[in-house]
Amino acid sequence: MTEQRVAIVTGAARGIGAGIARRLAQDGLAVAVLDLDESASNLVAEEIVSDGGRAIGIGADVSDEQAVADAVARVVAELGPPTVLINNAGIIRDNLLFKMTTDDWDAVMNVHLRGAFLMTRAVQAHMTQAKWGRIVSLSSTSALGNRGQANYAAAKAGMQGFTKTLAIELGKYGITANAVAPGFIETEMTQATARRVGVSFEDLKESAAKVIAVARTGRPEDIAHAASFFVSEGAGFVSGQVLYVAGGPQG
């Protein structure tokens, strides 16, 4: 690699996204920390810069076509053409099907699927021009089905089909596309799940760990490590894959 790669990580103000942004910076990439919350994005970017990396924070709604175009244009202007994209932005609107509203369904689909589509379409032009690219999209073990998450499970299953199609379409340009499907990861999102079901986060983690083969719950750095592999120069012959990072056999 003769010049620094530029990565965009969506949903990167906290949790898994922030962990991936920090890891890619440690790997030597310049990182655009993109999130709906620009002030929180800036905090992560400032942390990366203080550690000696290059980063900027950007506030953008990934489901908004113009906002995506503007965000990518800013990345090009301030860091350079992006050739690494991490589609991590996501939300939950959990409920049983008969209680789930149309807005609950649409909100989750818009952030996960529409957002990944818009970001990937905007960035792939820079990848094809460079004849090199890495796209990593976040799926979930919920793609296999999970009570109270019909919207989220459908979106995360959709990310897998999206990933495999990207691998087929973009492979001839030196671009790989892979997905990481986390299991139980200790984030603000799983803390929200604990509140929703009316238990403490510690009790939820303890309960989850009992059915995980490695006998612990995951952390953002576990997912960041997997993303780092897919982004690496050496992973150029790995594409269209879904890696379950869940502490045991899944998929």
Side-chain angles (χ1 to χ4, degrees):
M1 186 171 65
T2 58
E3 59 185 45
Q4 188 177 39
R5 304 286 190 198
V6 176
I8 299 176
V9 184
T10 71
R14 56 187 58 82
I16 289 173
I20 293 174
R22 295 185 186 103
R23 175 58 188 263
L24 295 186
Q26 291 169 6
D27 290 343
L29 284 77
V31 181
V33 180
L34 191 151
D35 199 281
L36 191 61
D37 184 348
E38 184 162 4
S39 61
S41 296
N42 285 330
L43 290 176
V44 176
E46 289 165 5
E47 178 186 333
I48 290 171
V49 171
S50 68
D51 288 337
R54 289 179 68 216
I56 58 172
I58 298 177
D61 179 353
V62 295
S63 69
D64 183 307
E65 188 170 3
Q66 188 59 55
V68 166
D70 292 344
V72 173
R74 184 179 164 195
V75 173
V76 173
E78 297 188 30
L79 294 178
T83 53
V84 172
L85 173 64
I86 310 295
N87 287 312
N88 170 73
I91 61 172
I92 54 172
R93 295 289 186 271
D94 294 352
N95 224 325
L96 294 175
L97 183 64
F98 77 98
K99 295 181 179 179
M100 187 174 290
T101 67
T102 303
D103 286 344
D104 290 337
W105 179 271
D106 289 345
V108 170
M109 293 298 162
N110 283 342
V111 174
H112 291 267
L113 291 178
R114 179 181 169 90
F117 161 68
L118 291 175
M119 287 299 307
T120 304
R121 188 180 64 177
V123 172
Q124 59 85 31
H126 300 289
M127 297 180 179
T128 54
Q129 186 173 4
K131 300 296 183 185
W132 192 96
R134 298 285 188 266
I135 301 165
V136 180
S137 298
L138 272 291
S139 180
S140 169
T141 54
S142 291
L144 303 173
N146 198 29
R147 179 179 171 83
Q149 288 194 318
N151 49 4
Y152 186 78
K156 289 307 191 182
M159 293 292 270
Q160 297 189 17
F162 181 63
T163 293
K164 291 177 182 295
T165 301
L166 293 178
I168 295 167
E169 292 187 5
L170 300 176
K172 64 183 178 181
Y173 301 105
I175 302 167
T176 67
N178 293 285
V180 178
F184 190 107
I185 307 298
E186 299 169 15
T187 65
E188 290 182 13
M189 189 175 287
T190 47
Q191 289 176 15
T193 298
R195 290 192 295 271
R196 179 177 63 84
V197 299
V199 301
S200 74
F201 190 44
E202 290 304 315
D203 285 345
L204 185 65
K205 288 193 296 182
E206 183 179 347
S207 176
K210 288 178 180 178
V211 295
I212 297 174
V214 298
R216 71 167 176 89
T217 51
R219 295 179 288 271
E221 52 264 36
D222 293 312
I223 308 306
H225 187 76
S228 174
F229 164 70
F230 281 136
V231 168
S232 69
E233 296 287 331
F237 201 56
V238 181
S239 196
Q241 301 304 302
V242 179
L243 176 61
Y244 284 83
V245 183
Q250 296 279 351

